[in-house]
Amino acid sequence: MSARRRLGTRWRRRRPLRTRLAVAAAAAVALVAIGVCAAAFFVIRYKLYQQLDQNLAQSATLIAQQRHYDTEPGVVTGECRYLGAPACSQIVPADAADDPAEPYLLPVTGETRKVAARQAAPYYTSLTLHGKPTRMYTTSYGDGDAVQVALRADIAERGVSQAASLLSAVGGAGVLLSAVGGYWVSRTGLAPITRLTATAERIAATRDARHRIELPPEPPGRAGHQDEVTRLATTFNTMLAELEESVAARRRLVADASHELRTPLTALRTNAELLARADRLTDAQRERASGALGRQLREVTGLVNDLIELARDEEPQPLLEEVRLAPLTAHAVDAAREHWPAVPFALRVAPEAVDLSVPGVPARLSRLLTNLLDNAAKFSPAGAPVEVSLTGAALTVRDHGPGIAEEDLPYVFDRFYRAEKARALPGSGLGLAMARQIAHAHKAELTAERAPGGGAQFRLTLPAP
């Protein structure tokens, strides 16, 4: 990389985006303005000299028409030293030996002799005559002669000079306006990015994700039509909303977890302190306190494990495999029968679901079914069955308990949420939340509803094959 390129790269890196955009926009407009002015100058200059050259050609033709070809070489007219006077002219022979005794008014060169001998084409020349700018035209005349015609070029020169001055002023104004326009474009175009940066810095400083970027109002009649920067700001606002929700969910999780852990930890400490004075207890009291301590430790361990899994907000991504749902459901129902011996479980598998399989993780799907079955058994009266049905499209688990109140339906899958009727029952309020998380990870949908005739029904809608 050359030194010039390295310098340019270093300059771009050190300058803010607004400055670089302003310089780029100003340079582009300035180049266009300068190019237009330069093109206009050359067009004006060409037209002025074209008009002067046409006058010279007409004068040469007029001389040829008024003079006979046997006219002697020499000066024909010589008034061109005055502005506005007719063209001065002279006839030059091809052979210098035929020159007149009096000197020529206009310069004669070898090229002039060639034109007279018809060995070269006619041509125009700019020169200085009597200290004044002059334009001269040389063309062939008769046989072996050339005619030279000259006119003062002051008007054309003055026009070119005035055009150059005027267009230079216009070009300079264009460059200045381009600089102002480039600054305005950079300031206006990057305003949303500036607000985005300020919002991000404010969030980083305050750790408050409630801030949003102010979006410009949509133009009338163009609802939904946003430029790229506005779409970026809208996407950033959406990301901030997700971040705010995530932060709020984390705070709720911490607050709910501390609340749920407080009671079992207090009981654990009480039983531990009681066992510390085991020499003052009877054998029955020690055995009862030891059993309570072990049971509470298992509950706390299960609660902490559930919290760890839910705190990830998403399922891990191990290798998936095709899981047959009918055997997996039958195994989960058999395990529930052993865990809840007082509750009868009825399993019905539709013929089309016997060989049904879905991609997933067997252990996680088994955990989902276990949570649903435990929840149904917990609310089922003694002797009332829990009905499990597997079809080609869904798996349902229904109990015949008190059901779900209408006001509780939207919250049954929230972490630590427990309905009024369930607060006296064992559990942490995390089972259904974990079940829905596992369902979402397997692209399934878990919903709760009031069952016809009483009780609650949970439906796991399977993903389409």
Side-chain angles (χ1 to χ4, degrees):
M1 183 183 294
S2 64
R4 182 177 299 178
R5 290 185 61 186
R6 287 197 301 269
L7 181 61
T9 303
R10 191 179 304 114
W11 184 89
R12 288 194 297 271
R13 289 176 179 175
R14 291 182 178 179
R15 293 299 181 272
L17 178 60
R18 176 179 296 178
T19 302
R20 285 181 282 161
L21 180 60
V23 170
V29 177
L31 286 176
V32 172
I34 293 174
V36 170
C37 290
F41 169 76
F42 286 112
V43 169
I44 292 173
R45 182 177 181 274
Y46 171 77
K47 288 297 182 182
L48 288 174
Y49 278 102
Q50 183 185 43
Q51 184 178 3
L52 183 60
D53 293 345
Q54 288 176 350
N55 292 336
L56 288 173
Q58 291 174 358
S59 298
T61 302
L62 184 61
I63 292 174
Q65 292 174 351
Q66 293 177 350
R67 302 283 178 177
H68 297 289
Y69 290 139
D70 57 355
T71 303
E72 293 296 328
V75 176
V76 179
T77 58
E79 296 86 357
C80 61
R81 68 172 59 192
Y82 304 107
L83 187 62
C88 56
S89 59
Q90 64 187 23
I91 297 175
V92 180
D95 190 356
D98 297 331
D99 287 343
E102 296 182 1
Y104 290 111
L105 179 65
L106 302 175
V108 177
T109 62
E111 190 70 19
T112 307
R113 306 290 184 182
K114 291 182 180 179
V115 172
R118 298 185 182 274
Q119 296 176 355
Y123 64 92
Y124 293 94
T125 308
S126 294
L127 51 94
T128 301
L129 188 64
H130 305 296
K132 302 296 181 180
T134 306
R135 184 75 168 170
M136 183 178 68
Y137 176 55
T138 303
T139 185
S140 58
Y141 172 77
D143 186 13
D145 292 324
V147 61
Q148 291 180 299
V149 184
L151 279 173
R152 288 274 297 274
D154 300 60
I155 297 177
E157 291 286 344
R158 189 180 303 114
V160 171
S161 177
Q162 291 175 350
S165 301
L166 179 61
L167 291 175
S168 297
V170 172
V175 172
L176 180 61
L177 289 177
S178 68
V180 175
Y183 174 77
W184 180 82
V185 167
S186 66
R187 184 178 181 84
T188 304
L190 296 179
I193 296 182
T194 302
R195 292 195 293 268
L196 187 150
T197 304
T199 302
E201 291 174 347
R202 191 181 308 116
I203 292 173
T206 62
R207 297 180 179 271
D208 187 357
R210 291 176 298 177
H211 299 286
R212 296 292 184 272
I213 301 174
E214 183 181 355
L215 300 177
E218 294 185 354
R222 293 180 57 85
H225 296 274
Q226 298 177 334
D227 57 27
E228 290 78 2
V229 178
T230 304
R231 288 204 302 270
L232 173 63
T234 303
T235 304
F236 191 77
N237 281 345
T238 304
M239 183 186 68
L240 288 178
E242 295 290 339
L243 178 62
E244 181 183 4
E245 183 179 352
S246 175
V247 171
R250 186 188 65 181
R251 290 174 178 172
R252 286 196 304 270
L253 177 63
V254 172
D256 293 340
S258 62
H259 175 75
E260 293 292 331
L261 286 170
R262 187 176 294 114
T263 300
L265 288 176
T266 301
L268 278 173
R269 185 177 62 183
T270 301
N271 286 315
E273 292 175 352
L274 184 63
L275 287 174
R277 298 191 297 270
D279 54 336
R280 304 179 184 178
L281 304 176
T282 63
D283 292 341
Q285 290 174 331
R286 282 196 298 271
E287 185 176 353
R288 187 165 55 251
S290 177
L293 184 62
R295 184 173 59 255
Q296 290 158 358
L297 282 173
R298 287 191 297 272
E299 291 179 359
V300 171
T301 302
L303 178 60
V304 171
N305 290 334
D306 291 345
L307 284 173
I308 292 173
E309 293 189 16
L310 285 172
R312 288 195 297 253
D313 279 336
E314 59 181 14
E315 287 287 300
Q317 299 294 327
L319 294 177
L320 301 180
E321 58 181 281
E322 288 294 325
V323 181
R324 295 184 59 195
L325 289 182
L328 184 69
T329 305
H331 176 76
V333 169
D334 290 340
R337 289 192 181 111
E338 295 180 2
H339 191 261
W340 302 90
V343 179
F345 289 85
L347 173 62
R348 185 182 69 84
V349 179
E352 68 272 13
V354 172
D355 296 323
L356 178 65
S357 62
V358 295
V361 183
R364 303 303 294 162
L365 291 174
S366 178
R367 181 63 180 274
L368 185 155
L369 296 175
T370 299
N371 287 359
L372 293 180
L373 294 173
D374 288 345
N375 181 78
K378 184 168 58 175
F379 289 98
S380 292
V386 172
E387 301 172 3
V388 183
S389 175
L390 177 63
T391 65
L395 182 145
T396 59
V397 177
R398 176 187 174 174
D399 62 61
H400 291 270
I404 305 174
E406 195 69 31
E407 62 272 14
D408 293 330
L409 274 176
Y411 310 105
V412 293
F413 294 106
D414 290 353
R415 298 168 182 173
F416 297 108
Y417 182 80
R418 305 184 73 182
E420 188 71 28
K421 300 176 183 179
R423 292 181 181 175
L425 298 176
S428 62
L430 296 177
L432 293 180
M434 187 178 300
R436 169 168 278 191
Q437 178 174 300
I438 298 172
H440 284 174
H442 288 78
K443 296 181 174 54
E445 185 65 27
L446 181 60
T447 57
E449 58 189 17
R450 296 165 61 88
Q457 180 171 280
F458 291 86
R459 183 184 303 275
L460 179 67
T461 304
L462 302 175

